[in-house]
Coordinates of all heavy atoms in Angstrom, one line a residue:
M1 N 0.7 -3.1 37.4 CA 0.4 -4.2 36.5 C 0.5 -3.7 35.0 O -0.3 -2.8 34.6 CB -0.9 -4.8 36.8 CG -1.3 -6.0 36.0 SD -2.8 -6.8 36.4 CE -3.7 -5.7 37.4
R2 N 1.4 -4.2 34.2 CA 1.5 -3.8 32.8 C 0.5 -4.6 32.0 O 0.4 -5.8 32.2 CB 2.9 -4.0 32.3 CG 3.9 -3.1 33.0 CD 3.7 -1.6 32.8 NE 3.7 -1.2 31.4 CZ 4.9 -0.8 30.8 NH1 6.0 -0.8 31.5 NH2 4.9 -0.4 29.6
L3 N -0.2 -4.0 31.1 CA -1.1 -4.7 30.2 C -0.6 -4.8 28.8 O 0.0 -3.8 28.3 CB -2.5 -3.9 30.2 CG -3.2 -3.6 31.5 CD1 -4.4 -2.8 31.3 CD2 -3.5 -4.9 32.2
V4 N -0.7 -6.0 28.3 CA -0.2 -6.2 26.9 C -1.4 -6.2 26.0 O -2.4 -6.8 26.2 CB 0.5 -7.6 26.8 CG1 1.0 -7.8 25.4 CG2 1.7 -7.6 27.8
F5 N -1.3 -5.4 25.0 CA -2.4 -5.3 24.0 C -2.0 -5.8 22.7 O -0.8 -5.8 22.4 CB -2.9 -3.8 23.8 CG -3.5 -3.2 25.1 CD1 -2.8 -2.5 26.0 CD2 -4.8 -3.4 25.3 CE1 -3.3 -2.0 27.1 CE2 -5.4 -2.9 26.4 CZ -4.7 -2.2 27.3
V6 N -2.9 -6.3 21.9 CA -2.6 -6.6 20.5 C -3.2 -5.6 19.6 O -4.4 -5.2 19.7 CB -3.3 -8.0 20.2 CG1 -3.0 -8.4 18.7 CG2 -2.8 -9.1 21.1
C7 N -2.4 -5.0 18.8 CA -2.8 -3.9 17.9 C -3.9 -4.5 16.9 O -3.6 -5.5 16.2 CB -1.6 -3.3 17.1 SG -2.1 -2.1 16.0
Q8 N -5.0 -3.8 16.9 CA -6.1 -4.3 16.0 C -5.8 -4.0 14.5 O -6.5 -4.4 13.7 CB -7.4 -3.7 16.5 CG -7.8 -4.0 17.9 CD -7.9 -5.5 18.1 OE1 -8.7 -6.2 17.5 NE2 -7.2 -6.0 19.1
E9 N -4.8 -3.2 14.3 CA -4.5 -2.8 12.9 C -3.4 -3.7 12.3 O -3.6 -4.2 11.3 CB -4.1 -1.3 12.9 CG -3.9 -0.7 11.5 CD -5.1 -0.8 10.6 OE1 -6.2 -0.9 11.1 OE2 -4.9 -0.7 9.4
C10 N -2.3 -3.8 13.0 CA -1.2 -4.5 12.4 C -0.9 -5.8 13.2 O 0.0 -6.6 12.7 CB 0.1 -3.6 12.4 SG 0.7 -3.3 14.0
G11 N -1.6 -6.1 14.3 CA -1.4 -7.4 15.0 C -0.2 -7.5 15.9 O 0.0 -8.6 16.4
V12 N 0.5 -6.4 16.0 CA 1.7 -6.5 16.9 C 1.3 -6.5 18.4 O 0.3 -5.9 18.7 CB 2.7 -5.4 16.5 CG1 2.2 -4.1 17.1 CG2 4.1 -5.7 17.0
H13 N 2.1 -7.1 19.2 CA 1.8 -7.0 20.7 C 2.5 -5.8 21.2 O 3.7 -5.6 20.8 CB 2.3 -8.3 21.4 CG 1.5 -9.5 21.2 ND1 1.5 -10.2 20.1 CD2 0.5 -10.0 22.0 CE1 0.6 -11.2 20.2 NE2 0.0 -11.1 21.4
Y14 N 1.9 -5.0 21.9 CA 2.5 -3.8 22.4 C 2.2 -3.5 23.9 O 1.2 -4.0 24.4 CB 2.2 -2.6 21.6 CG 0.7 -2.1 21.6 CD1 0.4 -1.0 22.3 CD2 -0.2 -2.8 20.9 CE1 -0.9 -0.6 22.4 CE2 -1.6 -2.4 21.0 CZ -1.9 -1.3 21.7 OH -3.2 -0.9 21.8
L15 N 3.0 -2.8 24.5 CA 3.0 -2.6 26.0 C 2.9 -1.1 26.3 O 3.9 -0.5 26.4 CB 4.2 -3.2 26.6 CG 4.2 -3.6 28.0 CD1 3.3 -4.8 28.3 CD2 5.7 -3.9 28.4
P16 N 1.7 -0.5 26.3 CA 1.6 0.9 26.5 C 1.9 1.2 28.0 O 1.9 0.3 28.8 CB 0.2 1.2 26.2 CG -0.6 0.0 26.4 CD 0.4 -1.1 26.1
P17 N 2.2 2.5 28.3 CA 2.4 2.8 29.7 C 1.3 2.4 30.6 O 0.1 2.3 30.1 CB 2.6 4.3 29.7 CG 2.9 4.7 28.3 CD 2.3 3.6 27.5
E18 N 1.5 2.1 31.9 CA 0.5 1.6 32.8 C -0.7 2.4 32.8 O -1.8 1.9 32.9 CB 1.2 1.5 34.2 CG 0.7 0.3 34.9 CD 1.6 -0.1 36.1 OE1 2.8 0.2 36.0 OE2 1.1 -0.6 37.1
D19 N -0.6 3.7 32.9 CA -1.7 4.6 33.0 C -2.3 5.0 31.6 O -3.0 6.0 31.5 CB -1.4 5.9 33.8 CG -0.2 6.6 33.3 OD1 0.4 6.1 32.3 OD2 0.2 7.6 33.8
L20 N -1.8 4.3 30.5 CA -2.2 4.6 29.2 C -1.9 6.0 28.7 O -2.7 6.6 28.0 CB -3.7 4.2 29.0 CG -4.0 2.7 29.0 CD1 -5.5 2.5 28.8 CD2 -3.3 2.0 27.9
R21 N -0.8 6.6 29.2 CA -0.4 7.9 28.8 C 1.1 7.8 28.3 O 1.9 7.2 29.0 CB -0.4 8.9 30.0 CG -1.8 9.2 30.4 CD -2.3 10.6 29.9 NE -3.7 10.6 29.8 CZ -4.4 11.3 28.9 NH1 -3.8 12.1 28.1 NH2 -5.7 11.3 28.9
Y22 N 1.4 8.3 27.2 CA 2.7 8.3 26.7 C 3.5 9.4 27.4 O 2.9 10.3 28.0 CB 2.8 8.4 25.2 CG 2.4 7.2 24.5 CD1 1.3 7.2 23.6 CD2 3.0 6.0 24.7 CE1 0.9 6.1 22.9 CE2 2.6 4.8 24.0 CZ 1.5 4.9 23.2 OH 1.1 3.7 22.5
G23 N 4.8 9.4 27.3 CA 5.7 10.3 27.9 C 5.3 11.8 27.6 O 5.5 12.7 28.5
D24 N 4.9 12.0 26.4 CA 4.6 13.4 26.0 C 3.2 13.8 26.5 O 2.7 14.9 26.2 CB 4.7 13.6 24.5 CG 3.7 12.7 23.7 OD1 3.0 11.9 24.4 OD2 3.7 12.7 22.5
G25 N 2.5 12.9 27.3 CA 1.2 13.3 27.8 C 0.0 12.9 26.9 O -1.1 13.0 27.3
S26 N 0.3 12.4 25.7 CA -0.8 12.0 24.9 C -1.4 10.6 25.3 O -0.6 9.8 25.9 CB -0.3 11.9 23.4 OG 0.7 10.9 23.3
A27 N -2.6 10.4 25.0 CA -3.3 9.1 25.5 C -2.8 8.0 24.6 O -2.7 8.1 23.4 CB -4.8 9.3 25.4
A28 N -2.5 6.8 25.3 CA -2.3 5.6 24.5 C -3.6 5.0 24.2 O -4.6 5.2 24.8 CB -1.4 4.7 25.4
S29 N -3.6 4.2 23.1 CA -4.8 3.5 22.7 C -4.8 2.0 23.2 O -3.7 1.4 23.2 CB -4.9 3.5 21.2 OG -5.9 2.7 20.8
A30 N -6.0 1.5 23.5 CA -6.1 0.1 23.9 C -6.3 -0.7 22.6 O -6.3 -1.9 22.7 CB -7.2 -0.1 24.9
L31 N -6.4 -0.1 21.5 CA -6.7 -0.8 20.2 C -5.5 -0.8 19.3 O -5.3 -1.8 18.6 CB -7.8 -0.1 19.5 CG -9.2 -0.3 20.1 CD1 -10.2 0.5 19.2 CD2 -9.6 -1.7 20.1
W32 N -4.7 0.3 19.3 CA -3.7 0.4 18.3 C -2.3 0.7 19.0 O -2.3 1.4 20.0 CB -4.0 1.6 17.3 CG -5.3 1.4 16.6 CD1 -5.8 0.2 16.0 CD2 -6.4 2.4 16.5 NE1 -7.0 0.5 15.5 CE2 -7.4 1.8 15.7 CE3 -6.5 3.7 16.8 CZ2 -8.6 2.4 15.4 CZ3 -7.6 4.4 16.5 CH2 -8.7 3.8 15.8
C33 N -1.3 0.1 18.4 CA 0.1 0.5 18.8 C 0.3 1.9 18.4 O -0.4 2.5 17.6 CB 1.1 -0.5 18.2 SG 1.2 -0.3 16.4
S34 N 1.4 2.5 19.0 CA 1.6 4.0 18.8 C 1.8 4.4 17.3 O 1.2 5.4 16.9 CB 2.6 4.5 19.7 OG 3.9 4.2 19.2
P35 N 2.5 3.6 16.5 CA 2.6 4.0 15.0 C 1.2 3.9 14.4 O 0.9 4.9 13.6 CB 3.5 2.9 14.4 CG 4.3 2.4 15.6 CD 3.4 2.4 16.8
C36 N 0.4 2.9 14.6 CA -0.9 2.8 14.0 C -1.8 3.9 14.6 O -2.6 4.5 13.8 CB -1.5 1.4 14.3 SG -0.7 0.1 13.3
Q37 N -1.7 4.2 15.8 CA -2.5 5.2 16.4 C -2.2 6.6 15.8 O -3.1 7.3 15.5 CB -2.2 5.3 17.9 CG -3.2 6.2 18.7 CD -2.8 6.4 20.1 OE1 -1.7 6.0 20.6 NE2 -3.6 7.0 20.9
G38 N -0.9 6.8 15.5 CA -0.5 8.0 14.8 C -1.1 8.1 13.4 O -1.6 9.1 12.9
R39 N -1.1 6.9 12.7 CA -1.6 6.9 11.4 C -3.1 7.1 11.4 O -3.7 7.8 10.5 CB -1.3 5.5 10.8 CG -1.2 5.5 9.3 CD -0.4 4.4 8.7 NE -0.7 3.1 9.3 CZ 0.2 2.3 9.8 NH1 1.5 2.6 9.8 NH2 -0.1 1.1 10.3
M40 N -3.8 6.5 12.3 CA -5.2 6.7 12.5 C -5.6 8.2 12.7 O -6.5 8.7 12.2 CB -5.8 5.9 13.6 CG -5.8 4.4 13.3 SD -6.7 3.9 11.9 CE -6.5 2.2 11.9
A41 N -4.7 8.8 13.6 CA -5.0 10.2 13.9 C -4.8 11.1 12.6 O -5.6 12.0 12.4 CB -4.0 10.7 15.0
E42 N -3.8 10.7 11.8 CA -3.6 11.4 10.5 C -4.8 11.3 9.6 O -5.1 12.2 8.9 CB -2.3 10.8 9.8 CG -1.0 11.5 10.2 CD 0.1 10.7 9.6 OE1 0.0 10.1 8.5 OE2 1.2 10.7 10.3
L43 N -5.4 10.1 9.6 CA -6.5 9.8 8.8 C -7.8 10.4 9.4 O -8.9 10.3 8.8 CB -6.7 8.3 8.6 CG -5.6 7.6 7.8 CD1 -5.8 6.1 7.9 CD2 -5.6 8.1 6.3
G44 N -7.7 10.9 10.6 CA -8.9 11.4 11.3 C -9.8 10.3 11.8 O -11.0 10.6 12.1
I45 N -9.3 9.1 12.1 CA -10.1 8.1 12.6 C -9.9 8.0 14.1 O -8.8 7.9 14.6 CB -9.7 6.7 12.0 CG1 -9.9 6.8 10.5 CG2 -10.6 5.6 12.6 CD1 -9.4 5.6 9.7
R46 N -11.0 8.1 14.8 CA -10.9 8.0 16.3 C -11.3 6.5 16.7 O -12.1 5.9 16.0 CB -11.9 8.9 16.9 CG -11.7 10.4 16.5 CD -12.6 11.3 17.2 NE -12.4 11.2 18.7 CZ -13.0 12.0 19.5 NH1 -13.8 12.9 19.1 NH2 -12.8 11.8 20.8
E47 N -10.6 6.1 17.8 CA -10.9 4.7 18.2 C -12.3 4.6 18.8 O -12.8 5.4 19.5 CB -9.9 4.2 19.3 CG -9.9 5.0 20.6 CD -9.0 4.4 21.6 OE1 -8.0 3.7 21.2 OE2 -9.3 4.5 22.8
P48 N -13.0 3.5 18.4 CA -14.4 3.3 18.9 C -14.3 3.0 20.4 O -13.6 2.1 20.8 CB -14.9 2.1 18.1 CG -13.9 1.9 17.0 CD -12.6 2.5 17.5
A49 N -15.1 3.8 21.1 CA -15.0 3.7 22.6 C -15.4 2.3 23.1 O -14.7 1.8 24.0 CB -15.9 4.7 23.2
F50 N -16.4 1.7 22.5 CA -16.8 0.3 23.0 C -15.7 -0.7 22.7 O -15.4 -1.5 23.5 CB -18.1 -0.1 22.3 CG -18.0 -0.4 20.8 CD1 -17.7 -1.6 20.4 CD2 -18.2 0.7 19.9 CE1 -17.6 -1.9 19.0 CE2 -18.1 0.4 18.6 CZ -17.8 -0.9 18.1
A51 N -15.0 -0.6 21.6 CA -13.9 -1.5 21.2 C -12.7 -1.3 22.2 O -12.1 -2.3 22.6 CB -13.5 -1.3 19.8
A52 N -12.5 0.0 22.5 CA -11.3 0.3 23.4 C -11.6 -0.3 24.8 O -10.8 -0.9 25.4 CB -11.1 1.8 23.5
A53 N -12.9 -0.1 25.2 CA -13.3 -0.6 26.6 C -13.2 -2.1 26.6 O -12.7 -2.7 27.6 CB -14.7 -0.1 26.9
F54 N -13.6 -2.7 25.5 CA -13.5 -4.2 25.5 C -12.1 -4.7 25.5 O -11.7 -5.6 26.2 CB -14.2 -4.7 24.2 CG -14.2 -6.2 24.1 CD1 -15.1 -7.0 24.8 CD2 -13.3 -6.8 23.2 CE1 -15.1 -8.3 24.7 CE2 -13.3 -8.2 23.1 CZ -14.2 -9.0 23.9
A55 N -11.2 -4.0 24.7 CA -9.8 -4.4 24.6 C -9.1 -4.2 26.0 O -8.3 -5.1 26.4 CB -9.1 -3.5 23.6
L56 N -9.5 -3.1 26.7 CA -9.0 -2.9 28.0 C -9.4 -3.9 29.0 O -8.6 -4.4 29.8 CB -9.5 -1.5 28.5 CG -8.7 -0.8 29.6 CD1 -7.2 -0.6 29.2 CD2 -9.3 0.6 29.9
R57 N -10.6 -4.3 28.9 CA -11.1 -5.3 29.9 C -10.5 -6.7 29.6 O -10.1 -7.4 30.5 CB -12.6 -5.5 29.7 CG -13.3 -5.9 31.0 CD -14.8 -5.8 30.8 NE -15.3 -6.5 29.7 CZ -16.5 -6.4 29.1 NH1 -17.3 -5.4 29.6 NH2 -16.8 -7.1 28.1
T58 N -10.3 -7.0 28.3 CA -9.7 -8.3 28.0 C -8.2 -8.3 28.5 O -7.8 -9.3 29.0 CB -9.7 -8.5 26.4 OG1 -11.0 -8.3 26.0 CG2 -9.2 -9.8 26.0
A59 N -7.5 -7.2 28.3 CA -6.1 -7.1 28.7 C -6.0 -7.2 30.2 O -5.1 -7.9 30.7 CB -5.5 -5.8 28.2
R60 N -6.9 -6.6 30.9 CA -6.9 -6.6 32.4 C -7.1 -8.0 32.9 O -6.4 -8.4 33.8 CB -7.9 -5.6 32.9 CG -7.5 -4.2 32.9 CD -8.0 -3.4 34.1 NE -7.4 -2.1 34.0 CZ -8.1 -1.0 33.7 NH1 -9.4 -1.1 33.5 NH2 -7.5 0.2 33.6
A61 N -8.1 -8.7 32.3 CA -8.4 -10.0 32.7 C -7.2 -11.0 32.5 O -6.9 -11.8 33.4 CB -9.6 -10.5 32.0
A62 N -6.5 -10.8 31.4 CA -5.4 -11.6 31.0 C -4.3 -11.3 32.0 O -3.6 -12.2 32.5 CB -4.9 -11.3 29.6
A63 N -4.0 -10.0 32.3 CA -3.0 -9.6 33.3 C -3.3 -10.2 34.7 O -2.4 -10.6 35.4 CB -2.8 -8.1 33.3
E64 N -4.5 -10.1 35.1 CA -4.9 -10.6 36.4 C -4.7 -12.1 36.5 O -4.2 -12.6 37.5 CB -6.4 -10.2 36.7 CG -6.4 -8.9 37.5 CD -7.8 -8.3 37.4 OE1 -8.8 -9.1 37.4 OE2 -7.9 -7.1 37.4
A65 N -5.1 -12.8 35.4 CA -4.9 -14.3 35.4 C -3.4 -14.6 35.5 O -3.0 -15.5 36.2 CB -5.5 -14.8 34.2
A66 N -2.6 -13.8 34.7 CA -1.2 -14.1 34.7 C -0.6 -13.8 36.1 O 0.3 -14.5 36.6 CB -0.5 -13.2 33.7
A67 N -1.0 -12.7 36.7 CA -0.5 -12.3 38.1 C -0.9 -13.4 39.1 O -0.1 -13.7 40.0 CB -1.1 -11.0 38.5
E68 N -2.1 -13.9 39.0 CA -2.5 -15.0 39.9 C -1.6 -16.2 39.8 O -1.2 -16.8 40.8 CB -4.0 -15.3 39.6 CG -4.9 -14.8 40.7 CD -6.4 -14.9 40.2 OE1 -6.7 -16.0 39.8 OE2 -7.1 -13.9 40.3
T69 N -1.4 -16.6 38.5 CA -0.6 -17.8 38.3 C 0.8 -17.5 38.8 O 1.4 -18.4 39.5 CB -0.5 -18.0 36.8 OG1 -1.8 -18.0 36.2 CG2 0.2 -19.4 36.5
E70 N 1.4 -16.3 38.5 CA 2.7 -16.0 39.0 C 2.8 -15.9 40.5 O 3.7 -16.4 41.1 CB 3.1 -14.6 38.4 CG 4.5 -14.1 38.7 CD 5.6 -15.0 38.1 OE1 5.3 -15.7 37.1 OE2 6.7 -14.9 38.6
G71 N 1.8 -15.3 41.1 CA 1.7 -15.2 42.6 C 1.7 -16.6 43.2 O 2.4 -16.8 44.2
A72 N 0.9 -17.5 42.7 CA 0.8 -18.8 43.3 C 2.1 -19.5 43.2 O 2.6 -20.2 44.1 CB -0.3 -19.6 42.6
R73 N 2.8 -19.4 42.0 CA 4.1 -20.0 41.8 C 5.1 -19.5 42.8 O 5.9 -20.2 43.4 CB 4.5 -19.7 40.4 CG 5.4 -20.9 39.8 CD 5.8 -20.6 38.4 NE 4.7 -20.4 37.5 CZ 4.6 -19.6 36.5 NH1 5.6 -18.8 36.3 NH2 3.6 -19.5 35.7
R74 N 5.1 -18.1 42.9 CA 6.1 -17.5 43.8 C 5.9 -17.9 45.3 O 6.9 -18.2 46.0 CB 5.9 -16.0 43.7 CG 7.2 -15.3 43.4 CD 7.0 -13.8 43.2 NE 7.1 -13.4 41.8 CZ 6.8 -12.2 41.4 NH1 6.3 -11.3 42.2 NH2 7.0 -11.9 40.1
T75 N 4.7 -17.9 45.7 CA 4.4 -18.3 47.1 C 4.9 -19.7 47.4 O 5.5 -19.9 48.4 CB 2.8 -18.3 47.3 OG1 2.4 -17.0 46.9 CG2 2.5 -18.4 48.8
R76 N 4.7 -20.6 46.4 CA 5.1 -22.0 46.7 C 6.6 -22.1 46.6 O 7.2 -22.7 47.5 CB 4.5 -22.9 45.6 CG 3.4 -23.8 46.2 CD 2.8 -24.7 45.1 NE 1.9 -23.9 44.3 CZ 1.7 -24.0 43.0 NH1 2.6 -24.7 42.3 NH2 0.8 -23.3 42.3
A77 N 7.3 -21.5 45.6 CA 8.7 -21.7 45.4 C 9.6 -20.8 46.2 O 10.7 -21.3 46.6 CB 9.0 -21.6 43.9
R78 N 9.3 -19.6 46.4 CA 10.3 -18.6 47.0 C 10.1 -18.3 48.4 O 11.0 -17.7 49.0 CB 10.2 -17.3 46.2 CG 10.7 -17.5 44.8 CD 11.0 -16.2 44.1 NE 11.1 -16.3 42.7 CZ 10.9 -15.3 41.9 NH1 10.7 -14.1 42.4 NH2 11.0 -15.4 40.6
R79 N 9.1 -18.7 49.1 CA 8.9 -18.2 50.4 C 10.0 -18.7 51.4 O 10.5 -17.8 52.1 CB 7.5 -18.7 51.0 CG 7.2 -18.0 52.3 CD 5.7 -18.2 52.7 NE 4.8 -17.2 52.1 CZ 3.5 -17.3 52.2 NH1 2.9 -18.4 52.8 NH2 2.7 -16.4 51.7
P80 N 10.5 -19.9 51.3 CA 11.5 -20.3 52.3 C 12.8 -19.6 52.1 O 13.5 -19.2 53.0 CB 11.7 -21.8 52.0 CG 10.5 -22.2 51.2 CD 10.0 -21.0 50.5
S81 N 13.2 -19.3 50.8 CA 14.5 -18.7 50.6 C 14.5 -17.2 50.9 O 15.5 -16.5 51.0 CB 14.9 -18.8 49.1 OG 13.9 -18.2 48.3
R82 N 13.3 -16.6 51.1 CA 13.2 -15.2 51.4 C 13.5 -14.9 52.8 O 13.9 -13.7 53.2 CB 11.8 -14.7 51.1 CG 11.7 -13.8 49.9 CD 10.4 -13.1 49.8 NE 9.9 -13.1 48.5 CZ 8.7 -12.8 48.1 NH1 7.8 -12.6 49.0 NH2 8.4 -12.8 46.8
A83 N 13.5 -15.8 53.7 CA 13.7 -15.6 55.1 C 15.1 -15.0 55.4 O 16.1 -15.5 54.8 CB 13.5 -16.8 55.9
G84 N 15.2 -13.9 56.1 CA 16.5 -13.3 56.4 C 17.1 -12.4 55.3 O 18.1 -11.9 55.5
S85 N 16.3 -12.2 54.2 CA 16.9 -11.4 53.2 C 16.0 -10.1 53.0 O 16.2 -9.4 52.0 CB 17.0 -12.1 51.9 OG 15.7 -12.5 51.5
G86 N 15.2 -9.8 53.9 CA 14.3 -8.6 53.9 C 15.1 -7.4 54.2 O 16.3 -7.4 54.5
P87 N 14.4 -6.2 54.2 CA 15.0 -5.0 54.6 C 15.6 -4.9 56.0 O 16.5 -4.2 56.3 CB 13.9 -3.9 54.4 CG 12.8 -4.6 53.9 CD 13.0 -6.1 53.9
G88 N 15.0 -5.7 56.9 CA 15.5 -5.8 58.3 C 16.9 -6.2 58.4 O 17.7 -5.7 59.2
T89 N 17.3 -7.2 57.6 CA 18.7 -7.7 57.6 C 19.6 -6.6 57.2 O 20.7 -6.4 57.8 CB 18.8 -8.9 56.6 OG1 17.7 -9.7 56.8 CG2 20.1 -9.6 56.8
R90 N 19.3 -5.8 56.2 CA 20.1 -4.8 55.7 C 20.4 -3.7 56.8 O 21.5 -3.2 56.9 CB 19.5 -4.2 54.4 CG 20.6 -3.8 53.4 CD 20.0 -3.2 52.2 NE 19.3 -4.2 51.4 CZ 18.3 -4.0 50.5 NH1 18.0 -2.7 50.3 NH2 17.7 -4.9 49.8
T91 N 19.3 -3.4 57.5 CA 19.4 -2.4 58.5 C 20.3 -2.8 59.6 O 21.2 -2.1 60.1 CB 18.0 -2.1 59.1 OG1 17.1 -1.9 58.1 CG2 18.0 -0.9 60.0
R92 N 20.3 -4.1 60.0 CA 21.1 -4.6 61.0 C 22.6 -4.6 60.6 O 23.4 -4.3 61.4 CB 20.7 -6.1 61.3 CG 20.2 -6.2 62.8 CD 19.9 -7.7 63.1 NE 18.7 -8.1 62.4 CZ 18.6 -9.3 61.8 NH1 19.6 -10.1 61.7 NH2 17.4 -9.6 61.2
L93 N 22.9 -4.8 59.3 CA 24.3 -4.8 58.9 C 24.9 -3.5 58.9 O 26.1 -3.3 59.1 CB 24.3 -5.4 57.5 CG 24.0 -6.9 57.3 CD1 24.0 -7.3 55.9 CD2 25.1 -7.7 58.0
R94 N 24.1 -2.4 58.7 CA 24.7 -1.0 58.7 C 24.9 -0.5 60.1 O 25.4 -0.5 60.9 CB 23.6 -0.1 58.1 CG 23.9 0.1 56.7 CD 23.0 1.1 56.1 NE 22.7 0.7 54.7 CZ 21.6 1.0 54.0 NH1 20.6 1.7 54.6 NH2 21.4 0.7 52.8
Ligands
ZN1 ZN1 -0.2 -1.4 15.0

């Protein structure tokens, strides 16, 4: 489940990696997009833990609500068309 955060510094919506780790192994912030996070690091400002925890919780709740809505929609609309198109069909064809 990907979480969308709103940067508390510049207001941009950003999508950090799922485990909040960037490719180079550095930690992503739940408060700031990566450019702002870099700028904060340069200024020696660390993200307040309580604010980060709150942002994470808010993003998770939003993602869960979205997933629930999406799941309900999918169950209703796609279930009949899925019959016969699973992995079992592919195995039989080979
Ligand atoms: Zn930013």
Side-chain angles (χ1 to χ4, degrees):
M1 180 178 15
R2 295 298 297 270
L3 303 179
V4 181
F5 293 95
V6 180
C7 177
Q8 300 300 304
E9 183 62 19
C10 68
V12 77
H13 285 79
Y14 67 105
L15 201 69
E18 214 162 333
D19 54 359
L20 289 178
R21 291 261 153 205
Y22 288 120
D24 62 0
S26 62
S29 171
L31 286 180
W32 303 314
C33 64
S34 75
C36 288
Q37 193 186 5
R39 208 156 46 233
M40 291 300 183
E42 270 171 33
L43 295 170
I45 300 170
R46 302 184 58 174
E47 65 174 26
F50 69 89
F54 181 77
L56 199 56
R57 210 173 52 199
T58 306
R60 280 216 176 106
E64 267 161 32
E68 255 168 49
T69 310
E70 183 66 19
R73 210 180 297 144
R74 234 177 248 170
T75 309
R76 249 179 282 138
R78 293 196 196 160
R79 194 170 269 170
S81 65
R82 248 192 222 165
S85 63
T89 313
R90 215 177 291 160
T91 311
R92 240 183 289 134
L93 289 173
R94 267 184 211 152

